[in-house]
């Protein structure tokens, strides 16, 4: 091969290699981009106390790698720490009432902005509980150029809820739950894993529960109508076994992906 021909041949190879490198770099950059909103999961679980939100939300968190924001747990943490917010929240919760919209919205806003686990999406458990909270959440997400994928209501009869909750026992440090009748610990009032004492929450009694359920139906049910109009609402029968509830939930989220 003449020197001039060999030179042209090598130039051609270099050009092909450069094109290949450019294509591979573009592919790598595309793969490294953060997931788009359609690939993420932003969902809300709506349901009365004891419907199973606290049981199902961790499954969603682990399966879809999103953060789980349980406003009830967040408030109770403040109660345990006896912060100013905690003292006021305890009075309201013990009376069966709802904490103000501004407090709840700011708690969620802080988590979405500062909790790295929320980068790929979230499951909200116990929020929003009122239409004004739902509207403020929409505004918050719009400002972040994000949107909700689904809103799932866990439906269950009040009488079954009262039976469930009045027998509920909790390990405060881990959040593990037991039930005196349906899922008792191996040793009475003792956590199976750590051997530490279990407690019954101060608001897990019939009188407080009746007030809480009344408040839920009065103030939270309109939220369902709000999301029904938006085309986001889905219903799940929460009286089923937890595994069956999870399978039905998962179908909703996979369909939305």
């Amino acid at each position: 091969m003449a020197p001039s021909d060999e030179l042209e041949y090598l130039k051609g190879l270099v050009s092909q290699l450069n094109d290949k490198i450019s294509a591979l770099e573009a592919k790598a950059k595309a793969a490294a981009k953060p997931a788009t909103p359609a690939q993420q999961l932003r969902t809300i679980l709506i349901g009365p106390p004891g419907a199973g939100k606290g049981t199902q939300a961790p499954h969603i968190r682990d399966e879809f790698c999103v953060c789980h924001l349980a406003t009830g747990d967040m408030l109770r943490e403040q109660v345990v720490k006896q912060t100013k917010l905690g003292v006021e929240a305890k009075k309201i919760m013990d009376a069966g009432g709802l904490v103000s919209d501004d407090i709840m919205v700011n708690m969620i806003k802080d988590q979405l902005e500062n909790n790295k686990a929320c980068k790929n999406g979230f499951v909200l458990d116990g929020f929003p509980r009122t239409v004004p909270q739902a509207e403020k959440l929409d505004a918050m997400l719009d400002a972040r150029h994000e949107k909700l994928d689904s809103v799932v209501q866990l439906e269950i009869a009040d009488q079954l809820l009262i039976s469930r909750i009045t027998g509920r026992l909790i390990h405060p440090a881990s959040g593990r739950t037991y039930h005196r009748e349906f899922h008792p610990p191996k040793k009475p009032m003792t956590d199976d894993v750590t051997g530490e004492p279990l407690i019954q929450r101060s608001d897990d009694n019939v009188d407080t529960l009746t007030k809480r359920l009344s408040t839920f139906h009065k103030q939270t049910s309109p939220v369902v109508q709000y999301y029904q109009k938006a085309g986001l609402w889905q219903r799940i029968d929460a009286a089923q076994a937890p595994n069956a509830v999870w399978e039905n939930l998962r179908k909703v989220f996979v369909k939305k992906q």
Side-chain angles (χ1 to χ4, degrees), residues 16-28:
Q16 291 177 34
L17 285 172
N18 285 333
D19 289 344
K20 184 66 173 178
I21 289 170
S22 296
L24 289 172
E25 285 179 340
K27 187 176 181 180

Side-chain angles (χ1 to χ4, degrees), residues 34-46 60-61 64-69 108 112-113 115-125 127-128 137-138 140-152 227 231-234 252-254 256-257:
T36 63
Q39 295 171 317
Q40 297 174 339
L41 177 67
R42 298 182 181 90
T43 190
I44 295 170
L45 291 186
I46 293 179
I60 303 170
R61 176 197 65 204
F64 297 96
C65 300
V66 298
C67 66
H68 169 208
L69 301 181
I108 296 297
L112 293 183
E113 291 178 350
N115 187 340
K116 292 181 180 179
C118 298
K119 180 180 179 181
N120 292 326
F122 55 75
V123 50
L124 297 182
D125 167 3
F127 177 91
L137 176 63
D138 282 347
M140 189 191 312
L141 293 176
D142 284 344
R144 295 166 58 86
H145 306 291
E146 298 173 352
K147 64 178 183 177
L148 284 172
D149 299 301
S150 57
V151 176
V152 183
Y227 287 121
L232 295 171
W233 178 81
Q234 300 276 344
V252 171
F253 303 138
V254 169
K256 292 289 182 181
Q257 294 293 299

Side-chain angles (χ1 to χ4, degrees), residues 75 79 84-96 99 202:
L75 284 171
V79 171
K84 182 178 179 180
L85 168 61
V87 172
E88 291 302 314
K90 187 175 189 305
K91 292 178 183 177
I92 296 170
M93 290 190 292
D94 284 350
V99 178
S202 61

Side-chain angles (χ1 to χ4, degrees), residues 186-241:
K186 295 175 182 177
K187 182 179 178 181
M189 295 303 293
T190 304
D191 180 46
D192 290 349
V193 178
T194 66
E196 295 172 342
L198 301 176
I199 65 167
Q200 183 170 35
R201 279 177 22 196
S202 61
D203 54 349
D204 281 358
N205 61 75
V206 174
D207 289 341
T208 300
L209 281 171
T210 301
K211 292 178 182 177
R212 289 173 69 193
L213 289 170
S214 175
T215 300
F216 172 82
H217 293 307
K218 181 179 179 181
Q219 296 190 9
T220 309
S221 293
V223 176
V224 171
Q225 298 175 14
Y226 178 87
Y227 287 121
Q228 283 176 330
K229 291 178 181 178
L232 295 171
W233 178 81
Q234 300 276 344
R235 175 194 174 276
I236 299 291
D237 179 6
Q240 303 174 91

